């Protein structure tokens, strides 16, 4: 977010260069990188920005693990979408990915809990104690859900938008937000527990960051290219609407979450109306202010 | 009383180091052998395959290493660390409270809670892989082991968990053994005390009673005077490969003569999926103002407190110097990865702004 913000203020030229390129292909996972893979661990460290963990597979076996670790440790957590670089490898190491993806299978029956983590570890042939290496315990499992659903969005986005025949950015945003909400279907019975854990003070910053990333992802995939203060207001309002819709979804009993969809649409319409009203008021105030200045100037006031 | 006799035993080493400064400089090779990241050809040594340990990870009593700010051989460090801990054994817990304002208890509680030992999902029938076995290295006075046992037996209601407390120093282990007498009988039954050098866990022996105050020296079977630290020649048992679920070391690994060797030994004894967990002092460099205050406290106040309370300034001077010499969070994390462990996230968790840090690693499935 901060980098995008910088891009905004650095001038419209730079911002346009970042934002106005073809949108779809670059965000897809597994995009090959432009640079050759690193040959040694020190080369990995210095050129870390372009390493993905997949590239480490090309190294001789003893160096692979170290390379993979460093690919994660040294890659700066880029918070904007780039057309020139592959997406960063994500916050999870290989060991974490194995543990969490196995544990995620047990979430619908055991919730976001130590049980799910331990059962997942057993499934992968590890021990009950193995999940204790996870830095945040069960919150890591919640973050795994948030992260995987968010990154899946890019791959599924094109189909979803085409299906709904969405044309405007607003329609695409609605289609994508709905797509993301449907990603919660498998775990929706346990999502209130997860929200409770996410609301614990030490996890609030990470949860909010994940929400901001999701709003950014949705607007980017919808093709929003605003380079003015509305960049912020759009993301803030979408974050609020998405969080509200998710909360609504946890108690929604309607088939295929029809009520949630209606709720989402109403909120987005309201936001659009509020935005329109605000713009109209601004326009009116601006017009009258300049008119008043001109009247005063005609009376000889030196303004 | 025992502490005094032990101090007398440790003093010749300390005194010779002071009166004979030339001794410190007799090394000829690079002195960073226990800390591989300092060697200039680090890339060549880390690239060797993980099955054969690199040269720096093989214990060598004649190789130079750190003792506080001094440079000594690995063998000498072992003896001098033994001297330090023999002399502080009895006042160890009281001193910890004074030095850290009691905060070390919070760190230790958090460390054990984050490991959650003994947790087992509710499944029909017992776990086919047998009960958990925890190895607490450098566990001396039992601080961590008793907490682990409490969490496993009481909080997680899993009385099958066993804990082995290992220490190279008999004086510290004896203190732990005495303290364990106040535990419930079921927890006492799950405890084992062994003497071992963490760099070579193939040689261990059950705790021999340490000479009491009334009997300051003891003699082994051959009639020789016994050392305060474990002698591998007297070993009777071993810790086999892949036999441990959780390996913990709290405020101990700093004192090891050869840290890479100890990490590789941890990798050997752990089962696949087993967890290496280390609680150790670390660097608070990220907060310069706090760090300045902390350094002031540790270099001025702690040796003074040691002098006043434990009548032993040198041991506590060593303590703060060894903290200063210990690698940073990232360097130590890389050493853990180098020994064959995998880590999650950044691989460590800072406590109190980095004054201490928890490092965890998992032995991957082969």
């Amino acid at each position: 977010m901060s980098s995008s913000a910088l891009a905004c203020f650095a001038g419209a030229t730079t911002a346009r260069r970042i934002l106005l390129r073809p949108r779809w292909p670059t965000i897809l996972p597994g995009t090959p990188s432009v640079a050759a893979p690193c040959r040694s661990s020190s080369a990995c460290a210095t050129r870390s920005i372009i390493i993905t963990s997949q590239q480490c597979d090309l190294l001789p076996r003893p160096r692979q693990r170290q390379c993979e670790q460093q690919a994660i440790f040294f890659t700066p957590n880029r918070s904007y979408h780039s057309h020139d670089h592959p997406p960063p490898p994500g916050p999870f190491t290989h060991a974490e990915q194995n543990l969490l993806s196995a544990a995620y299978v047990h979430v619908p029956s055991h919730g976001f809990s130590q049980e799910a983590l331990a059962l997942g570890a057993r499934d992968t042939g590890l021990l009950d104690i193995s999940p204790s290496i996870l830095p945040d315990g069960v919150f890591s499992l919640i973050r795994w859900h948030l992260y995987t659903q968010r990154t899946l969005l890019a791959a599924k986005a094109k189909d979803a938008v085409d299906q709904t025949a969405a044309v405007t950015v607003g329609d695409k945003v609605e289609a994508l937000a709905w797509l993301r909400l449907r990603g919660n279907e498998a775990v929706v019975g346990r999502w209130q527990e997860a929200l409770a854990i996410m609301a614990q003070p030490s996890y609030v910053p990470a949860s909010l960051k994940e929400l901001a990333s999701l709003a950014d992802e949705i607007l980017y995939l919808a093709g929003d290219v605003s380079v003015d203060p509305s960049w912020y207001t759009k993301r803030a309002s979408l974050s609020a609407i998405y969080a509200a819709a998710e909360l609504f979804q946890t108690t929604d009993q309607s088939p295929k979450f029809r009520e949630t969809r209606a709720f989402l649409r109403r909120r987005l319409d309201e936001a659009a109306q509020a935005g329109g009203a605000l713009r109209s008021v601004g326009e009116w105030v601006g017009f009258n202010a300049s008119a008043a200045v001109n009247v005063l100037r005609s009376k000889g006031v030196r303004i | 009383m025992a502490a005094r006799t032990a101090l007398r035993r440790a003093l010749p080493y300390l005194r010779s180091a002071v009166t004979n400064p030339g001794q410190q400089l007799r090394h000829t090779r690079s002195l960073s052998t226990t800390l591989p990241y300092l060697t200039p050809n680090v890339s060549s040594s880390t690239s060797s395959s993980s099955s054969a340990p690199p040269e720096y990870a093989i214990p060598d009593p004649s190789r130079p290493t750190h003792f506080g700010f001094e440079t000594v051989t690995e063998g000498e460090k072992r003896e001098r660390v033994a001297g330090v801990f023999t002399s502080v054994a009895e006042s160890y817990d009281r001193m910890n409270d004074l030095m850290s304002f009691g905060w070390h208890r919070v760190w230790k509680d958090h460390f054990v809670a984050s490991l959650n030992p003994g947790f087992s999902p509710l499944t029909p029938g017992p776990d086919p892989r047998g009960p958990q076995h925890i190895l607490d290295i450098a566990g001396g006075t039992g601080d961590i082991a008793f907490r682990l046992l409490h969490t496993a037996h009481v909080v997680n209601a899993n009385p099958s968990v066993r804990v082995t407390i290992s220490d190279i120093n008999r004086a510290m282990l004896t203190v732990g053994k005495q303290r364990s007498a106040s535990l419930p009988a079921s927890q006492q039954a799950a405890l084992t005390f062994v003497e071992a050098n963490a760099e070579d866990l193939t040689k261990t022996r059950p705790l021999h009673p340490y000479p009491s105050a009334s009997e300051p020296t003891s003699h082994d079977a051959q009639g020789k005077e016994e050392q305060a630290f474990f002698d591998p020649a007297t070993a009777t048992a071993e810790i086999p490969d892949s036999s441990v679920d959780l390996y913990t070391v709290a405020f101990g690994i700093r004192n090891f003569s050869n840290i890479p060797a100890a990490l590789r030994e941890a990798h050997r004894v752990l089962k696949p999926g087993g967890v290496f967990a280390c609680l150790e002092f670390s660097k608070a460099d990220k907060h310069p103002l706090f760090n300045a205050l902390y350094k002031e406290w540790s270099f001025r106040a702690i040796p003074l407190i040691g002098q006043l309370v434990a009548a032993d300034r040198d041991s506590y001077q060593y303590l703060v110097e060894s903290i200063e010499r210990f690698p940073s969070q990232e360097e130590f994390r890389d050493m853990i990865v180098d020994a064959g462990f995998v880590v999650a996230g950044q691989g460590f968790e800072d406590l109190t702004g980095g004054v201490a840090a928890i490092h965890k690693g998992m032995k991957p499935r082969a």
Side-chain angles (χ1 to χ4, degrees), chain A residues 93 96 122 124 126 128 130 132, chain B residues 120 129 273 343-345 360 365:
Chain A
T93 64
E96 268 177 302
R122 284 189 182 186
T124 49
L126 299 174
D128 290 346
S130 305
S132 68
Chain B
S120 203
R129 289 160 306 170
V343 301
K360 286 180 197 158
R365 271 194 317 153

Side-chain angles (χ1 to χ4, degrees), chain A residues 79-160:
Chain A
S79 53
Y80 59 91
H81 296 281
S82 169
H83 296 283
D84 301 326
H85 301 292
F92 300 100
T93 64
H94 272 232
E96 268 177 302
Q97 287 170 18
N98 292 341
L99 276 170
L100 292 172
S101 55
Y104 189 66
V105 178
H106 294 279
V107 167
S109 49
H110 291 87
F112 292 90
S113 63
Q114 294 282 352
E115 268 92 7
L117 287 172
L119 288 171
R122 284 189 182 186
D123 289 352
T124 49
L126 299 174
L127 305 171
D128 290 346
I129 194 83
S130 305
S132 68
I133 61 161
L134 297 172
D136 296 318
V138 290
F139 183 69
S140 292
L141 191 54
I142 295 171
R143 222 155 63 108
W144 174 253
H145 168 77
L146 297 172
Y147 172 77
T148 49
Q149 291 299 328
R150 171 161 62 83
T151 43
L152 270 177
L153 211 52
K156 294 194 289 187
K158 201 165 161 49
D159 295 339

Side-chain angles (χ1 to χ4, degrees), chain A residues 146 180-181 184 191 195 241-250:
Chain A
L146 297 172
R180 174 63 188 83
L181 282 170
N184 288 343
W191 195 241
L195 288 171
I241 290 169
Y242 177 79
E246 204 169 55
L247 208 56
F248 188 94
Q249 191 188 21
T250 58

